[in-house]
Amino acid sequence: MELVASKTTEERFVHFWTISNTFLARLLNSRLLTVACLKGAAPAGGLAIAMCCDFRISTSNTTTGLNEVSIGLSVPPIWMQRLTQLVGHGNTERISQLSFMIQAKEAKQIGLFDEVVENEQDLLPKASAFLKKILAYPDAGRLITKSSLRNDLAKQWGDVGRIQQEARSNFKILQQPQNVKVLEAVLKRLSKPKL
């Protein structure tokens, strides 16, 4: 709803963008060991959350990507930086600039997902096994290493001034008539009851 300019205000959008990106920055650099379990469609923000976790596992029917371009938006640069860290520049260009949604098998092949399971029932047991294995290690080494790898990007991601400037710029894009029309159609499609 916050992405449809006709249904929100710039102030609300900036607030939404600030809260969501502050959360993502904190998740990226959390001292906690985090696991994303995905099933079905996980585009845009769903992938952003997963990219901030330490381990990503999905069902075989999961599709994911940064599809913002296909609905008239730009992919947040900080999201692309994180994706590049995980899958490299070429894959990031294909997934973000071209709005490619990829299947779970490919996501695992390129390093975006760590594991793919056939059945939803296998997600939590697989995640638990990973957690038990890693939590058996002493915390200090893992925490220092994680911070070394992620701290710079997390600080940049969580910079409120940067976030708010990005939000204001994005809101201008959201107000363009073609984008309003596309996003209203997406909202309408997503609002239909599931059978």
Side-chain angles (χ1 to χ4, degrees), residues 1 28 30 35 64 94 98 148 170 184-185:
M1 186 78 125
L28 179 68
S30 172
V35 177
T64 194
R94 190 169 56 90
L98 304 176
S148 295
N170 284 339
E184 284 178 343

Coordinates of all heavy atoms in Angstrom, one line a residue, residues 1 28 30 35 64 94 98 148 170 184-185:
M1 N 0.8 -1.2 0.0 CA 0.0 0.0 0.0 C 0.9 1.3 0.0 O 0.6 2.2 -0.7 CB -0.9 0.0 1.2 CG -1.9 1.1 1.2 SD -3.3 0.7 0.1 CE -4.6 0.9 1.2
L28 N 21.0 -7.3 9.1 CA 22.2 -7.6 8.4 C 23.4 -7.8 9.4 O 24.2 -8.7 9.2 CB 22.6 -6.5 7.3 CG 23.9 -6.8 6.6 CD1 23.8 -8.0 5.6 CD2 24.2 -5.5 5.8
S30 N 23.1 -8.1 12.8 CA 22.6 -8.6 14.1 C 23.6 -9.6 14.7 O 24.3 -10.4 14.0 CB 21.3 -9.4 13.9 OG 20.9 -10.0 15.1
V35 N 18.2 -17.1 10.1 CA 17.9 -18.0 9.0 C 16.6 -17.5 8.4 O 15.7 -17.2 9.0 CB 17.7 -19.5 9.5 CG1 17.3 -20.4 8.4 CG2 19.0 -20.0 10.2
T64 N 12.4 -16.0 -6.7 CA 12.8 -14.7 -6.0 C 13.5 -13.8 -7.0 O 13.9 -14.2 -8.1 CB 13.8 -15.1 -4.9 OG1 13.9 -14.0 -4.0 CG2 15.1 -15.6 -5.3
R94 N 21.6 -9.1 -13.9 CA 20.5 -9.8 -14.5 C 19.3 -9.8 -13.6 O 18.2 -9.6 -14.1 CB 21.0 -11.3 -14.8 CG 20.1 -12.1 -15.6 CD 20.8 -13.4 -16.0 NE 21.3 -14.2 -14.9 CZ 20.6 -15.1 -14.2 NH1 19.4 -15.4 -14.6 NH2 21.1 -15.7 -13.2
L98 N 17.3 -6.3 -15.0 CA 16.4 -6.9 -16.0 C 15.1 -7.5 -15.3 O 14.3 -8.2 -15.9 CB 17.1 -8.0 -16.8 CG 18.3 -7.5 -17.5 CD1 19.0 -8.7 -18.2 CD2 18.0 -6.4 -18.5
S148 N 33.0 -7.9 10.8 CA 34.0 -7.5 9.9 C 33.5 -7.5 8.4 O 33.8 -6.7 7.6 CB 35.3 -8.4 10.0 OG 35.9 -8.2 11.2
N170 N 12.6 8.3 -4.4 CA 11.7 7.2 -4.8 C 10.2 7.6 -4.9 O 9.5 7.2 -5.7 CB 11.8 6.0 -3.9 CG 13.1 5.2 -4.2 OD1 13.7 5.3 -5.3 ND2 13.6 4.4 -3.2
E184 N -1.1 0.4 -9.0 CA -2.5 0.2 -8.6 C -3.0 -1.1 -9.2 O -3.8 -1.8 -8.5 CB -3.4 1.4 -9.1 CG -3.2 2.6 -8.2 CD -4.0 3.8 -8.7 OE1 -4.5 3.9 -9.9 OE2 -4.2 4.8 -7.9
A185 N -2.6 -1.5 -10.4 CA -3.0 -2.8 -10.9 C -2.4 -3.9 -10.1 O -3.1 -4.9 -9.9 CB -2.5 -2.8 -12.4

